[in-house]
Amino acid sequence: MMNISKKFAGAIFILVYMAVSPSLSNAQGAPESFADLSEKLLPAVVNVYTTQNIRVDRNRRGGGNSFPPGSPFEEFFKRFQTPDQQGDNDSGNDNSRSRVQQRRSLGSGFIIDASGIIITNNHVIDDADEISIKLQDGTELEAVLIGKDDKVDLAVLKVEADDDLPFVKFGDDTKSRIGDWVLAIGNPFGIGSSVTAGIISASNRNIGSGPYDHYLQTDASINRGNSGGPMFNMKGEVIGINTAIYSPSGGNVGVGFAIPSSQASIVIDQLREYGRTKRGRIGVRIGPVSDEIAESLGMEEAGGAIVSTVEDDSPSSKAGVKFSDIIIEFDGTKIDEVRDLTSKVANTEIGSTVDMVVLRKGKRVTLKITIDELDEGSSSAEDAADEKTAEELESVLGLGLTNLDDEAREELEIDADIEGVLITSVDYDSGREGLRGLRRGDVIVEVTQQEVSSVDDVKTRIEDQREAGRSVVLLSIFRRGQYAHIPVKLDDED
């Protein structure tokens, strides 16, 4: 069972069922019957069964060491064994032969096309050697994998049946509201199809499972084995795919998470067409805009994604994106945090050109950017700093600074096109907030989005911040080929 996030006091459990351990929970009550809707939807929901073959060494020599499948010690000790100890079936020793264990798991899925297209979670079928499904009438069919995506945790399966199969359609989760009734159907604990009801408790939840988290949260009873099952609105449309639960015990406590249909539909269409996901890319490294960064730049509120690197010959470089730009809008959508941008870019059609708004030195700049496809594949600093004399060094904000010269460039292997000021020491004992993010050998290239090429430039920019009434200064640094943005607290006595 995979722990998705450490944010919670308990644990987030993937819902695929690995071992029978019955623990039933009370279904949510409802003001009216769901019988007619359930009767209509149940035939399109299936149970998913997988088998994984795992080869296990039966070696009992060399001190009798044996390790469970996947143990980190298993491969290590193989290097010290003789060929017959490594499972040579010709040795005649039954204890030296390997054997195959089968690991079985259960999950849920649903049919979206009469021809036999089935949707489930990737973690239900990942690494499976055999996949089969069982219909509500008990019919069992072998399934083949069409495509899967581990970033959003989705998989598309295909079965062949003699007749057309019952199916359900996707709805638009964005039209649902918090508090709306939903139905969840799945195969909890392997006991068979079960229907539970609840409401949408929240939307756009980030549970730390991946870069594209935008889960719907529900209090409908879902448990292990519900993975891949559908969440329906009252029109009988699929608006979510049940994927994970929050639970200290592993059973339902009324906090479940489903992939929203608006996100899932895009991935599923690509998996059906290409067998893989084709995500958009703009070619930047970005970071969150914290309250400290926002304050240092005079922003009214924190929001957006700050650019730390613009890749060469990328959509962003061609569009004119610059280091330290803050992306605040993409294709008409406001960017409040980093995952808003990553999801929006990923789901944008490759080759399309859209507007992207950046905040640059306090001004809004609109850029035209064409989407590319995402490819899913020093002690030297101390030596250079030690050679500086006391006269060449100045202390600012608890940092030892010196102008970046040719000698330092050579020692630190800094390209000639990098302009800035070299950090030669950091006074971590000063207690100043932000210094822990800096190191000797870092090069300050900007202060509050203003380029600097000398220590005097740094001091001037800091003084400008103080005169503007700011309590934080944003230092943009270059470190071993990468850029970063570090907010540092200003004190009145500086």
Side-chain angles (χ1 to χ4, degrees):
M1 195 59 58
M2 187 174 90
N3 186 349
I4 297 181
S5 176
K6 296 181 180 177
K7 292 181 181 178
F8 303 105
I12 295 288
F13 287 90
I14 289 293
L15 301 177
V16 61
Y17 178 64
M18 288 294 189
V20 177
S21 178
S23 176
L24 302 178
S25 300
N26 295 326
Q28 299 293 322
E32 60 184 40
S33 174
F34 296 106
D36 290 341
L37 186 57
S38 299
E39 184 178 4
K40 174 185 175 183
L41 300 175
L42 272 166
V45 182
V46 303
N47 299 339
V48 181
Y49 299 85
T50 68
T51 302
Q52 181 182 3
N53 298 321
I54 303 173
R55 188 167 296 279
V56 182
D57 285 344
R58 298 181 63 183
N59 182 0
R60 292 295 182 269
R61 299 184 183 184
N65 291 322
S66 63
F67 305 100
S71 168
F73 300 105
E74 190 174 21
E75 290 299 322
F76 174 79
F77 280 101
K78 278 184 181 179
R79 290 183 289 168
F80 300 94
Q81 296 172 349
T82 60
D84 69 304
Q85 289 177 315
Q86 295 175 357
D88 183 354
N89 289 334
D90 294 332
S91 66
N93 187 333
D94 289 340
N95 286 335
S96 68
R97 294 173 183 165
S98 61
R99 60 189 175 88
V100 174
Q101 287 185 342
Q102 288 191 328
R103 178 178 295 170
R104 294 181 174 86
S105 64
L106 310 176
S108 305
F110 56 99
I111 307 168
I112 63 168
D113 190 285
S115 65
I117 300 296
I118 295 172
I119 307 304
T120 188
N121 283 140
N122 173 66
H123 75 261
V124 171
I125 55 83
D126 197 29
D127 295 327
D129 293 298
E130 299 175 12
I131 306 172
S132 60
I133 64 102
K134 180 185 287 188
L135 303 177
Q136 188 194 22
D137 63 7
T139 302
E140 294 191 18
L141 299 170
E142 184 179 347
V144 295
L145 179 64
I146 300 299
K148 63 180 183 177
D149 179 66
D150 60 352
K151 299 293 190 305
V152 181
D153 198 8
L154 288 172
V156 177
L157 309 177
K158 178 74 167 67
V159 296
E160 298 293 340
D162 294 334
D163 301 312
D164 286 350
L165 296 176
F167 63 94
V168 290
K169 295 182 179 181
F170 281 107
D172 186 353
D173 68 277
T174 64
K175 294 181 179 179
S176 298
R177 299 186 302 164
I178 295 173
D180 281 350
W181 283 103
V182 290
L183 284 184
I185 303 181
N187 179 26
F189 302 110
I191 62 176
S193 293
S194 298
V195 179
T196 56
I199 62 170
I200 297 176
S201 305
S203 61
N204 199 29
R205 285 295 197 209
N206 179 9
I207 63 175
S209 66
Y212 308 114
D213 280 14
H214 289 281
Y215 289 101
L216 296 174
Q217 181 182 325
T218 182
D219 68 346
S221 264
I222 53 178
N223 291 279
R224 296 188 225 182
N226 276 100
S227 271
M231 175 192 288
F232 295 101
N233 61 18
M234 293 299 97
K235 296 179 181 179
E237 299 169 330
V238 179
I239 60 168
I241 301 171
N242 301 317
T243 298
I245 59 173
Y246 164 64
S247 173
S249 63
N252 171 67
V253 295
V255 184
F257 301 99
I259 303 166
S261 59
S262 56
Q263 181 182 32
S265 297
I266 296 172
V267 174
I268 290 167
D269 287 346
Q270 292 181 351
L271 293 177
R272 293 183 67 178
E273 184 172 357
Y274 307 111
R276 64 182 180 87
T277 308
K278 299 177 71 172
R279 292 192 170 90
R281 161 189 176 269
I282 60 175
V284 289
R285 289 180 181 271
I286 53 176
V289 178
S290 63
D291 290 336
E292 292 80 8
I293 291 177
E295 202 279 337
S296 72
L297 299 177
M299 298 172 62
E300 293 183 359
E301 61 179 359
I306 190 167
V307 176
S308 58
T309 301
V310 180
E311 297 177 13
D312 293 337
D313 196 30
S314 67
S316 288
S317 65
K318 295 173 183 177
V321 179
K322 294 184 178 180
F323 175 69
S324 289
D325 280 350
I326 297 176
I327 301 172
I328 57 175
E329 191 175 303
F330 185 89
D331 196 18
T333 299
K334 181 183 177 184
I335 304 300
D336 291 318
E337 52 186 307
V338 167
R339 66 192 177 102
D340 293 337
L341 181 63
T342 56
S343 294
K344 186 66 177 176
V345 171
N347 292 332
T348 302
E349 183 180 357
I350 295 168
S352 62
T353 299
V354 301
D355 288 341
M356 185 169 76
V357 181
V358 303
L359 194 63
R360 181 179 297 167
K361 299 179 182 178
K363 297 181 179 180
R364 290 171 60 97
V365 179
T366 300
L367 306 172
K368 295 284 187 182
I369 188 164
T370 301
I371 310 304
D372 197 359
E373 183 177 353
L374 177 67
D375 184 7
E376 307 265 19
S378 123
S379 57
S380 302
E382 295 178 2
D383 293 340
D386 289 341
E387 293 176 2
K388 297 294 180 182
T389 65
E391 290 76 19
E392 294 176 283
L393 301 177
E394 294 194 53
S395 179
V396 181
L397 300 178
L399 301 171
L401 303 178
T402 187
N403 294 331
L404 186 59
D405 57 21
D406 292 340
E407 185 179 2
R409 289 182 187 279
E410 183 178 355
E411 289 288 346
L412 302 177
E413 299 181 350
I414 299 173
D415 293 339
D417 60 347
I418 302 297
E419 292 291 339
V421 175
L422 181 66
I423 297 178
T424 60
S425 64
V426 183
D427 183 8
Y428 296 117
D429 295 329
S430 68
R432 185 186 302 276
E433 294 181 26
L435 291 189
R436 291 290 174 187
L438 299 168
R439 302 177 188 171
R440 298 177 67 185
D442 287 349
V443 177
I444 301 174
V445 294
E446 287 185 357
V447 177
T448 60
Q449 295 185 312
Q450 299 288 328
E451 295 180 355
V452 293
S453 58
S454 68
V455 176
D456 286 340
D457 288 346
V458 173
K459 295 164 70 175
T460 299
R461 301 285 181 262
I462 291 173
E463 187 59 32
D464 290 343
Q465 284 291 93
R466 186 175 294 105
E467 290 179 358
R470 312 263 170 78
S471 61
V472 180
V473 62
L474 180 64
L475 304 183
S476 302
I477 65 165
F478 175 84
R479 177 188 299 160
R480 297 181 181 178
Q482 301 291 331
Y483 292 91
H485 303 283
I486 311 294
V488 177
K489 184 75 173 177
L490 290 176
D491 291 333
D492 293 337
E493 64 270 18
D494 288 331

